[in-house]
Amino acid sequence: MSRSMVPSPTIIPIIMAGGAGSRLWPVSRDSMPKQFIELLDGGLSAFQATIRRVVGKGFGRPIVVTNNDFRFITAEQLAALGVEAEIVLEPERRDSAAAVAVGALLAERQAIGGGTCLLLASDHVIGDEAGFLNAVREASSVAATGRIMTLGITPDHPSTAYGYIHPGSEDLGQGARSIERFVEKPDRQTAERYIAEGYVWNSGNFAFATEVMLQELETYAPGVLAAAREAVDKAVLDLDFVRLDALSFAASPTISIDYAVMEKTKRGGVLAAEFGWSDIGSWDSLHAVKDKDENGNRLEGDVVAIDTTNSFVRSEEALTTVVGLDDVVVVTTHDAVLVSSMQAAPKVKTLVAELKRAGRREAGEHMRIHRPWGWYQRIDIGDRFQVKHICVKPGGRLSLQRHHHRAEHWVVVHGTAEVTIDGAVKFYHENEAAYLPIGCVHRLHNPGKIDLKLIEVQVGSYTGEDDIVRIEDVYARS
């Protein structure tokens, strides 16, 4: 892979955006995880809010490390902000150490051999942006002396959801300290003791010089670094994405950066900061950071609650009603309902794992499936038929394709459709329908300036998504 070199910026952001976020199920699922969903106030996803925090203000061109399945939604959300970034595609999940190694290697190239990096998760909430930027500058200043700096968060309650860091006795300047030790998520009694002894939360956000991180990876996780280096060296440009070499990347051990490097290195440091941080890892933590009514409730969507307090109730479609409950989470989507006590909300991850073991589609796949051209949502399915609602964004173009086992009927309900059938092109408007017989070569395109919406009725012996033979595709999907 070749890429032009540019002068080193002050700080190069590396954004990790490949996680699944299963504790926020059923809204967050494998097919569309929490970082890309508008869960926060302000009309942005957590990923977009993270990007906006590090655009301008002395930061360089962001490097976004994400999953192959999220490449188009990542590009779309960046474009909505008017931000250009290097989007790097992991062939499979290998935890954070491999993502950090890849990001550091690419940052080293971007900065022509050096530079300071800021590693950020894409799903965190920051309440005080000015305080965050000040902490980043202070941590980066210390990182330039050869330290791998962790942004520690001064606790405001004895949380059992976060790991903790015990600052050491060495003063590193800028208010930073050395690291005595990392500890895992504690029980409440232990968390109370940690707070009394001056521990801070481990935010999972780091500042480091690229050469320092690469040296420590070489020392403590050589297998991770070797796999990442080969995956980057053999990477190819696919449209606007950097696609890592799959075979090389698969050789990396699956390990977090904390276990791989931070718990072993002698060059770690921590800066305690207060800027209103949360990783919105579960419904209770999301409830904590959102505005609430006089009863302590956060109600979103078509919701009615009576005699209910300190609860989070969200509906994406159906009327959802709650009567006489306290400290509960109720979330309804098109195809699933979650009811949990607020205290047990972090255990939703265990529930999702159980659903996956049972083979439940709802565990990882939304009814609304996003594609680079728009989205589709199943309305009904039965023996020899399936009905979908399809939305094609302006300029969107589906692949030129054929089906072996089904015919399709497209009824336009909004906008204009340009339909190609066996080489013939025809335009269809609202309340008009196109018929696509089995085996025909066809394509759907939205030539207009508004969304194209249609109802698709599939009829045939098999209506699965794998009955698609792509002949030509502007999005380079195989």
Side-chain angles (χ1 to χ4, degrees):
M1 178 190 69
S2 63
R3 190 169 288 275
S4 59
M5 298 298 186
V6 295
S8 174
T10 303
I11 303 171
I12 302 173
I14 302 172
I15 314 298
M16 296 187 295
S22 58
R23 283 182 294 170
L24 285 175
W25 184 89
V27 172
S28 175
R29 307 188 196 183
D30 291 344
S31 62
M32 180 62 74
K34 64 175 180 175
Q35 62 267 29
F36 300 116
I37 297 172
E38 188 182 318
L39 289 170
L40 310 175
D41 299 329
L44 298 177
S45 69
F47 168 70
Q48 289 176 307
T50 301
I51 288 292
R52 194 171 66 174
R53 243 175 255 130
V54 293
V55 171
K57 309 180 183 76
F59 293 94
R61 186 171 184 247
I63 297 170
V64 179
V65 183
T66 189
N67 187 278
N68 177 68
D69 292 340
F70 309 147
R71 64 195 186 280
F72 293 113
I73 189 65
T74 300
E76 184 175 313
Q77 293 201 356
L78 286 168
L81 297 176
V83 174
E84 291 187 0
E86 189 163 26
I87 304 175
V88 187
L89 306 181
E90 293 181 308
E92 55 187 279
R93 292 190 177 101
R94 277 294 181 265
D95 215 325
S96 59
V100 172
V102 165
L105 288 165
L106 291 172
E108 182 183 47
R109 296 183 179 191
Q110 184 183 132
I112 318 180
T116 301
C117 294
L118 176 65
L119 181 75
L120 298 174
S122 62
D123 55 358
H124 291 183
V125 173
I126 304 297
D128 177 8
E129 184 172 308
F132 165 78
L133 293 173
N134 185 59
V136 166
R137 294 186 186 102
E138 291 176 344
S140 298
S141 176
V142 180
T145 69
R147 294 282 182 166
I148 301 177
M149 293 300 301
T150 303
L151 292 179
I153 308 298
T154 303
D156 58 10
H157 68 281
S159 174
T160 61
Y162 304 137
Y164 286 71
I165 297 173
H166 189 193
S169 58
E170 184 180 356
D171 184 355
L172 304 180
Q174 301 287 343
R177 314 291 300 182
S178 59
I179 294 177
E180 180 70 26
R181 67 176 180 136
F182 287 80
V183 293
E184 294 300 311
K185 300 172 184 178
D187 57 33
R188 184 175 181 84
Q189 184 176 3
T190 305
E192 291 173 348
R193 177 169 60 82
Y194 285 163
I195 292 177
E197 295 176 357
Y199 285 60
V200 294
W201 289 335
N202 178 10
S203 74
N205 298 318
F206 302 92
F208 52 83
T210 54
E211 61 179 349
V212 173
M213 178 58 78
L214 294 174
Q215 288 169 3
E216 298 304 271
L217 283 164
E218 182 66 62
T219 300
Y220 298 109
V224 172
L225 181 59
R229 193 182 298 279
E230 185 173 320
V232 169
D233 288 342
K234 294 182 179 180
V236 297
L237 292 179
D238 178 0
L239 300 178
D240 293 327
F241 309 110
V242 177
R243 188 177 291 280
L244 299 172
D245 181 70
L247 188 61
S248 304
F249 193 76
S252 174
T254 301
I255 187 171
S256 72
I257 192 63
D258 281 353
Y259 286 138
V261 172
M262 296 308 298
E263 294 188 6
K264 301 172 183 175
T265 181
K266 305 301 182 186
R267 305 170 80 172
V270 60
L271 177 72
E274 299 180 26
F275 43 72
W277 171 87
S278 172
D279 73 348
I280 55 168
S282 52
W283 289 111
D284 58 321
S285 62
L286 188 60
H287 177 261
V289 302
K290 290 226 177 191
D291 293 335
K292 293 169 277 290
D293 63 20
E294 65 277 9
N295 295 313
N297 295 323
R298 175 69 184 200
L299 309 178
E300 298 181 350
D302 194 1
V303 171
V304 176
I306 298 175
D307 297 330
T308 295
T309 56
N310 305 316
S311 295
F312 190 110
V313 187
R314 174 184 173 116
S315 173
E316 294 199 341
E317 188 170 271
L319 170 63
T320 300
T321 58
V322 180
V323 179
L325 296 179
D326 179 60
D327 282 321
V328 298
V329 174
V330 180
V331 181
T332 64
T333 65
H334 301 288
D335 60 344
V337 178
L338 169 70
V339 181
S340 168
S341 67
M342 192 70 72
Q343 183 179 6
K347 296 182 181 179
V348 171
K349 184 176 182 178
T350 304
L351 169 67
V352 173
E354 181 61 33
L355 292 174
K356 287 183 176 180
R357 281 193 293 270
R360 295 300 300 255
R361 176 199 58 79
E362 299 91 340
E365 185 178 295
H366 284 279
M367 284 188 68
R368 178 168 293 183
I369 304 298
H370 290 265
R371 291 290 185 257
W373 43 260
W375 52 262
Y376 69 84
Q377 182 172 316
R378 191 180 71 211
I379 298 173
D380 196 8
I381 189 170
D383 184 27
R384 298 183 61 84
F385 80 91
Q386 182 170 195
V387 182
K388 291 181 178 179
H389 180 192
I390 295 177
C391 178
V392 185
K393 62 189 178 184
R397 187 186 300 268
L398 280 66
S399 61
L400 186 67
Q401 59 184 257
R402 66 159 58 96
H403 307 300
H404 292 304
H405 302 288
R406 68 176 184 254
E408 295 179 341
H409 302 259
W410 292 345
V411 181
V412 178
V413 297
H414 185 265
T416 298
E418 179 188 295
V419 180
T420 301
I421 302 176
D422 289 332
V425 179
K426 184 177 179 180
F427 291 87
Y428 294 83
H429 305 282
E430 293 181 9
N431 202 32
E432 296 180 341
Y435 170 62
L436 295 85
I438 292 176
C440 74
V441 175
H442 60 276
R443 166 176 271 160
L444 177 64
H445 171 226
N446 179 1
K449 298 184 181 299
I450 62 174
D451 286 346
L452 163 63
K453 296 184 178 180
L454 53 87
I455 301 301
E456 176 183 82
V457 180
Q458 303 174 358
V459 180
S461 59
Y462 182 71
T463 61
E465 281 300 300
D466 53 351
D467 182 25
I468 296 177
V469 179
R470 287 195 176 98
I471 300 166
E472 180 183 293
D473 184 43
V474 297
Y475 306 109
R477 295 169 295 171
S478 59

